[in-house]
Amino acid sequence: MKVRFPGPARRLLAFAIAAVAVGAASPAHAEPYPCQNLKIVSPYPPGGTTDILARLIAPSLQKSLDLPVIVENRGGASSNIGTEYVARAHPDGCTVLLGNNTGVVINRNLYALRLDPVKALRPVAEVAAMPLVLYVNPKVPARTLPELVKLLRSGSTPYSFASGGSGSPQHLAGELFKLATGTDILHIPYKGQAPAMMDVVGGQVQMAFETTAALSPQAKAGRVVPLATTGATRAEGYTDIPTMTEAGFKDFVITNWYGVFAPAGTSDALVTRLNAAVDAALASPEVAGKLAELGSEKVSGSAATFAAFVDSEVPRWEAVVKRSHAKVD
């Protein structure tokens, strides 16, 4: 039996069928994200660069994924604790790491880790890349890098430098600086960059290397004195500060990078979804402006691009560790 519909009813039925077809053809990211909330683990105490970056992108991720985004600090062991925690998490896209070169590609050369982060984590998206700043406490009688080197070589006073943990780029930068200047500066490792920086501000330690992002508030307030940056060119926000290369330290170029990682085994669909959400955050005027203010280079791209970059960093940092003769303190 054939059923005929009046003209208006036929048009309504056609519209309904078209709507269903459009819905069926909608991209997968229109579906709800398969988690009650997204946990971003920062493997350092509050106040460090990873913590700053995680909290910077969290509101945008919450909007893109339409679910609560929680930043959880799991610091300790030079980021190894938080990094392993995420690597062992269920690969369901609900727990990710805001990691950096320290925890992912450097520590594997210094610590007897229970897993290899390069194999146990899946790169999702790069978030930031920024140089370090060599800075001193204001009571140190040096306002330029040559003045600091002269002071260190005089041997009149023993000096020490702080870092957020053995194997961090800040630690390796200090060891390379010792080799380049032929000086003996005692390394004082802390459980994170924030407490390390606070002790330089307080005068318990005389100097350190720190990212442009974390150091900016202290530098602007005059609580520390920046002497040089480690980028290939002068850093945004530090244009009056020379690079290490400009100051006579050839090839002294170190960039700290940060990115989102998921446990290995996370599906392509979830990684692609997370990558798109992170890239959307980085493209927002608020986040982009803040990253520029913090001295970060512009970064973005697919998960595959970030994965290839991470793979290329493995031999580079292995060589830096060997050249610096860095040891776990």
Side-chain angles (χ1 to χ4, degrees):
M1 180 179 67
K2 294 182 179 179
V3 179
R4 294 182 179 274
F5 294 93
R10 284 199 303 271
R11 287 193 294 272
L12 182 60
L13 181 61
F15 177 80
I17 292 172
V20 171
V22 170
S26 295
H29 59 67
E31 299 175 0
Y33 195 76
C35 303
Q36 289 187 336
N37 56 62
L38 175 67
K39 182 193 294 184
I40 304 176
V41 173
S42 169
Y44 294 97
T49 306
T50 55
D51 182 64
I52 292 170
L53 294 174
R55 297 181 191 280
L56 177 62
I57 65 172
S60 182
L61 295 183
Q62 182 164 306
K63 182 178 179 181
S64 295
L65 300 174
D66 193 26
L67 82 171
V69 176
I70 302 165
V71 176
E72 181 177 300
N73 297 91
R74 283 182 173 264
S78 190
S79 83
N80 292 333
I81 293 174
T83 301
E84 180 178 336
Y85 173 80
V86 174
R88 295 191 184 279
H90 189 63
D92 54 7
C94 301
T95 302
V96 297
L97 176 76
L98 198 303
N100 61 0
N101 40 1
T102 301
V104 179
V105 300
I106 296 176
N107 286 351
R108 60 202 299 275
N109 300 294
L110 291 165
Y111 293 84
L113 301 178
R114 290 180 289 189
L115 50 75
D116 183 351
V118 173
K119 297 177 180 178
L121 294 169
R122 183 167 182 186
V124 173
E126 189 172 7
V127 172
M130 55 193 69
L132 303 177
V133 184
L134 172 57
Y135 69 100
V136 297
N137 177 277
K139 292 182 180 179
V140 174
R143 292 298 176 267
T144 66
L145 188 53
E147 288 178 357
L148 177 63
V149 173
K150 183 178 180 180
L151 187 66
L152 294 171
R153 286 174 174 167
S154 70
S156 56
T157 304
Y159 278 81
S160 57
F161 76 96
S163 85
S166 297
S168 64
Q170 290 87 339
H171 171 212
L172 297 181
E175 297 295 341
L176 291 174
F177 182 65
K178 287 165 58 176
L179 288 174
T181 57
T183 55
D184 185 19
I185 316 167
L186 179 64
H187 174 226
I188 309 293
Y190 288 76
K191 294 181 179 180
Q193 289 303 134
M197 183 167 52
M198 286 301 98
D199 267 13
V200 178
V201 171
Q204 287 86 354
V205 185
Q206 293 87 7
M207 56 186 286
F209 284 85
E210 184 50 273
T211 63
T212 53
L215 192 66
S216 286
Q218 305 297 339
K220 290 177 180 178
R223 290 189 281 266
V224 297
V225 180
L227 299 182
T229 60
T230 65
T233 59
R234 294 197 178 195
E236 186 75 25
Y238 293 82
T239 53
D240 58 334
I241 305 298
T243 66
M244 294 290 291
T245 302
E246 288 176 324
F249 292 85
K250 185 181 178 182
D251 299 327
F252 200 114
V253 178
I254 295 176
T255 301
N256 230 19
W257 53 259
Y258 303 82
V260 173
F261 294 81
T266 303
S267 70
D268 291 345
L270 286 174
V271 169
T272 299
R273 182 86 179 270
L274 286 167
N275 174 271
V278 173
D279 274 1
L282 300 181
S284 69
E286 181 181 356
V287 173
K290 185 63 176 178
L291 286 173
E293 181 183 320
L294 294 174
S296 174
E297 301 171 6
K298 290 184 179 180
V299 298
S300 64
S302 68
T305 299
F306 184 40
F309 169 72
V310 172
D311 285 343
S312 72
E313 286 284 277
V314 171
R316 176 177 180 270
W317 283 102
E318 182 179 353
V320 170
V321 170
K322 289 180 179 178
R323 184 158 59 96
S324 69
H325 304 300
K327 303 292 182 183
V328 174
D329 296 288

